[in-house]
């Protein structure tokens, strides 16, 4: 059996000449500069989601985005993209969390990344790998792929913390959610 050939001795030069290293460094810098707390405000936090199914909760989350209140076509475009993404594979990531997002960045739909937080008291079936009903929702809309991926990565790092997840389940005000996320980000 033939083994794979090792990387050339000058692999760094190979990647540097093609711009790969600077692209990777740029992406890492953007991911580290994302501050989720700055993407959230009390207006996009709903601690009392009351939908009974996935499609309804998606609509309820999208309705939290103020700019879509006067743009019904943009709202429908986002909902369609979210439904298409859910058809590919659930964005329920387990531990009672769902991170609804489109498959790709939605260029032209939003000018800035948008994050919406919602909480459901009982949880709804969301097709997560652990079959746990989703209670915590983070809806993501971003205008670029780089921002989209950076925010997903940052959310993933934050939501690994079981104490944060539990605190988000018991927060009584939107300002408390902001404070919890700000404090968790400070520890990263």
């Amino acid at each position: 059996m033939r083994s794979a050939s090792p990387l050339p001795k000058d692999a760094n030069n190979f990647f540097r000449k093609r711009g790969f290293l600077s692209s990777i460094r740029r992406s890492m810098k953007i991911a580290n500069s994302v501050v989720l707390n700055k993407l959230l405000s009390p207006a996009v936090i709903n601690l009392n989601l009351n939908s009974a199914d996935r499609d309804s909760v998606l609509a309820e989350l999208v309705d939290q985005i103020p700019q879509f209140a006067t743009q019904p076509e943009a709202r429908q475009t986002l909902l369609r993209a979210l439904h298409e993404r859910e058809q590919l594979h659930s964005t329920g990531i387990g531990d009672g969390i769902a991170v609804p997002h489109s498959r790709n960045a939605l260029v032209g739909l939003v000018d800035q990344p948008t994050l919406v937080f919602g909480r459901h008291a009982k949880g709804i079936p969301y097709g997560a790998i652990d079959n746990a009903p989703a209670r915590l929702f983070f809806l993501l809309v971003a205008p670029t792929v780089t921002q989209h991926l950076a925010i997903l990565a940052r959310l993933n790092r934050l939501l690994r913390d079981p104490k944060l997840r539990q605190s988000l389940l018991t927060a009584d005000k939107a300002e408390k959610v902001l404070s919890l996320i700000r404090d968790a980000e400070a520890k990263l």
Side-chain angles (χ1 to χ4, degrees), residues 2-15:
R2 188 174 170 209
S3 64
S5 61
L7 285 174
K9 292 178 185 176
D10 59 345
N12 280 338
N13 287 334
F14 173 84
F15 289 114

Side-chain angles (χ1 to χ4, degrees), residues 151-171:
I151 294 166
L152 282 174
R154 185 80 164 184
L155 274 170
N156 183 46
R157 287 179 62 200
L158 273 186
L159 296 173
R160 288 180 192 169
D161 181 359
K163 289 180 184 176
L164 174 62
R165 294 192 308 264
Q166 186 57 43
S167 295
L168 289 171
L169 286 170
T170 59

Side-chain angles (χ1 to χ4, degrees), residues 62-77 109:
V62 169
D63 287 345
Q64 290 294 129
I65 303 173
Q67 77 186 62
F68 290 154
T70 59
Q71 299 177 16
E73 288 179 18
R75 179 187 181 280
Q76 282 307 117
T77 298
L109 194 63

Side-chain angles (χ1 to χ4, degrees), residues 33-104:
S33 68
V34 169
V35 180
L36 299 177
N37 190 55
K38 291 183 179 180
L39 300 178
L40 290 167
S41 71
V44 295
I45 295 175
N46 183 342
L47 299 178
N48 299 301
L49 294 172
N50 51 33
S51 298
D53 58 53
R54 181 170 61 186
D55 290 347
S56 299
V57 84
L58 290 174
E60 200 172 351
L61 291 166
V62 169
D63 287 345
Q64 290 294 129
I65 303 173
Q67 77 186 62
F68 290 154
T70 59
Q71 299 177 16
E73 288 179 18
R75 179 187 181 280
Q76 282 307 117
T77 298
L78 175 56
L79 275 173
R80 192 170 31 258
L82 294 171
H83 289 292
E84 288 171 4
R85 172 61 179 88
E86 294 298 336
Q87 293 302 313
L88 288 174
H89 194 281
S90 174
T91 57
I93 61 173
D95 292 321
I97 302 167
V99 185
H101 60 278
S102 64
R103 184 172 179 209
N104 297 305

